[in-house]
Amino acid sequence: MARQWSDGHSTPVLCVGASSGPDGLLASGSEGGEVAVWSQEGHIISRLTLPGDEDITSVVFSPVTPSLLYTSHGDTVSVLDPRILKDPVETFPGAGEEEINALALNETGSALAVADDSGAVRVLELPAGKVCRTLRRHTNICSSVAFRPHRPNNLVSAGLDMQVMLWGLQKTRPLWTLNLQDVAEELDDHQQRPGQLFNPPLAHCVSVASCGNIVGCAAEDGRVHLMRVGGGSKLEQQGAVKAHSQGASQAHFVSFLSHPYWLVSGGNDSQVALWDLSKHPVVAPEGKNQAAVPKRRKGKSKARKKEQPQDKGKTKLGAEAEGDDEAAGGAEEATEEKAGPKLSIRHGDKVNWLCPAVLRGEPSVLVADQSSSLTVYPLSQL
């Protein structure tokens, strides 16, 4: 069932991106500056090693000009033509204050957000690449950033300080901040058993559903934390699903299934899971009782785990979620429903990146792990 895409890289693949253009190209970046562009069948179209041999940490296609591929390496963003990889079309050196961890483009392709090790989020005007905003509130590495669909001046950031922040680009302070440590402590108080240990909820990957109002964040505590943004861009409700038995490294909403609230997650437990969140209390609340957002705290640790490879490609349908169901606390309490993921895949290696994509008409997810290959799993069995 799983397919391997090989021969694009000689080093572990760190990131994957999919184009919305008519060709439906895909791109991947790996350690040592390698970039590869793939057809939907998994054939290599072109490959390139950028000078400097710095790891490629993010690859993002322009949503309005699919012939532009933005890649981050070190503190630099290079713009490539994915149809023929050669010298960059544009280079933005110093786009990040320190090493860049993630890139995000707004829907109009007019702004590029850059998250880096300093904790800053820089916003570059396109096509010129001029820095128009620098957003500083994270007290540790900023690991992920995403624009809100339908609101090109709103973006969400997440970092290893365990904070998730919503920004309006008219201001340089966040509209709101959610402290995942406070949320996790509240959840764990309901669940903890003697001798049980919990990882701190370092925030690794943030994603926004195509409706623009639901945010998901994969965290080191194994949860995908969920937030609903209401009128006036306020944090209206938050909750979580216990997605993984170890740190959750990836969470991406899937825009091409039956509704906007499908989400795919991956983690250090070598599992990939597909979730139907349409009935989750954060997405479909019954009431509107507001409570205070947890207080913000600072976190300073940075953790990375590596799992030993197991057998790849073992899939289980209708699996129960790892761990106990969660009761969420935050802007509004949201009690976790009992259903687990709709699809659970035992991938067999730590997940570096997930990329949902429609390949030759088939809903799929591409998985990058510790190897130099990509693995493709079909979602059509749903």
Side-chain angles (χ1 to χ4, degrees):
M1 180 176 63
R3 303 193 305 277
Q4 292 285 320
W5 288 8
S6 302
D7 303 324
H9 296 276
S10 62
T11 56
V13 181
L14 301 177
C15 53
V16 189
S19 167
S20 58
D23 295 330
L25 299 178
L26 298 106
S28 53
S30 70
E31 295 178 0
E34 296 180 354
V35 181
V37 174
W38 310 78
S39 71
Q40 293 196 10
E41 295 82 11
H43 301 138
I44 286 287
I45 292 175
S46 54
R47 61 169 73 95
L48 173 71
T49 300
L50 290 171
D53 294 335
E54 294 168 307
D55 295 349
I56 305 295
T57 54
S58 191
V59 290
V60 183
F61 285 90
S62 167
V64 293
T65 311
S67 60
L68 296 178
L69 173 67
Y70 294 82
T71 65
S72 58
H73 48 103
D75 65 359
T76 299
V77 172
S78 292
V79 189
L80 306 174
D81 183 341
R83 298 164 300 183
I84 306 174
L85 288 183
K86 51 183 182 180
D87 292 341
V89 178
E90 292 276 358
T91 301
F92 306 137
E97 295 184 357
E98 296 182 16
E99 183 178 358
I100 298 169
N101 297 307
L103 301 175
L105 283 160
N106 65 0
E107 285 181 313
T108 62
S110 62
L112 175 71
V114 175
D116 70 27
D117 275 2
S118 75
V121 178
R122 281 182 163 181
V123 181
L124 281 61
E125 292 179 337
L126 297 177
K130 179 182 177 182
V131 176
C132 62
R133 284 283 185 276
T134 300
L135 310 174
R136 306 180 196 277
R137 279 299 173 95
H138 287 287
T139 59
N140 203 323
I141 289 167
C142 186
S143 50
S144 185
V145 65
F147 280 94
R148 286 181 68 195
H150 315 301
R151 287 171 177 78
N153 291 318
N154 270 198
L155 62 86
V156 183
S157 64
L160 300 194
D161 57 356
M162 298 175 275
Q163 312 283 339
V164 178
M165 303 180 188
L166 177 68
W167 304 83
L169 295 186
Q170 297 83 359
K171 300 180 180 179
T172 55
R173 67 177 190 273
L175 300 173
W176 52 257
T177 297
L178 180 63
N179 187 323
L180 298 187
Q181 185 176 30
D182 291 345
V183 173
E185 286 174 357
E186 190 171 339
L187 297 175
D188 294 340
D189 284 344
H190 295 284
Q191 313 263 327
Q192 193 155 7
R193 295 180 286 274
Q196 189 173 7
L197 299 175
F198 295 95
N199 290 323
L202 312 177
H204 293 307
C205 179
V206 70
S207 178
V208 186
S210 59
C211 65
N213 296 327
I214 304 297
V215 178
C217 181
E220 187 66 23
D221 60 356
R223 297 181 176 98
V224 175
H225 293 264
L226 302 172
M227 292 137 263
R228 186 174 78 247
V229 183
S233 296
K234 293 180 179 179
L235 176 57
E236 202 168 71
Q237 190 166 4
Q238 63 83 24
V241 291
K242 181 65 174 177
H244 297 275
S245 60
Q246 296 181 35
S249 57
Q250 288 281 290
H252 296 270
F253 282 98
V254 183
S255 61
F256 47 77
L257 295 178
S258 56
H259 55 69
Y261 309 116
W262 290 95
L263 178 138
V264 62
S265 67
N268 296 341
D269 59 355
S270 305
Q271 301 289 324
V272 176
L274 180 69
W275 303 83
D276 180 353
L277 301 176
S278 59
K279 296 181 181 178
H280 190 281
V282 170
V283 176
E286 294 183 0
K288 296 257 185 183
N289 297 323
Q290 299 294 322
V293 175
K295 287 191 214 172
R296 183 179 173 210
R297 293 184 187 173
K298 295 182 180 180
K300 290 286 183 184
S301 57
K302 180 175 180 179
R304 296 185 186 274
K305 296 179 188 251
K306 183 172 181 178
E307 296 302 303
Q308 294 299 319
Q310 304 165 13
D311 293 334
K312 290 187 182 181
K314 296 190 178 176
T315 305
K316 184 178 177 183
L317 283 170
E320 289 301 314
E322 290 285 348
D324 297 327
D325 298 315
E326 304 293 336
E332 182 182 344
E333 291 270 340
T335 304
E336 164 84 277
E337 59 183 358
K338 293 186 183 299
K342 295 299 182 183
L343 178 66
S344 183
I345 300 168
R346 195 171 115 194
H347 175 65
D349 203 354
K350 172 181 176 277
V351 173
N352 284 339
W353 204 277
L354 297 176
C355 179
V358 178
L359 303 177
R360 307 296 294 174
E362 182 175 53
S364 306
V365 60
L366 292 92
V367 182
D369 54 32
Q370 299 295 296
S371 74
S372 59
S373 300
L374 293 171
T375 306
V376 180
Y377 295 102
L379 304 178
S380 53
Q381 51 199 304
L382 293 171

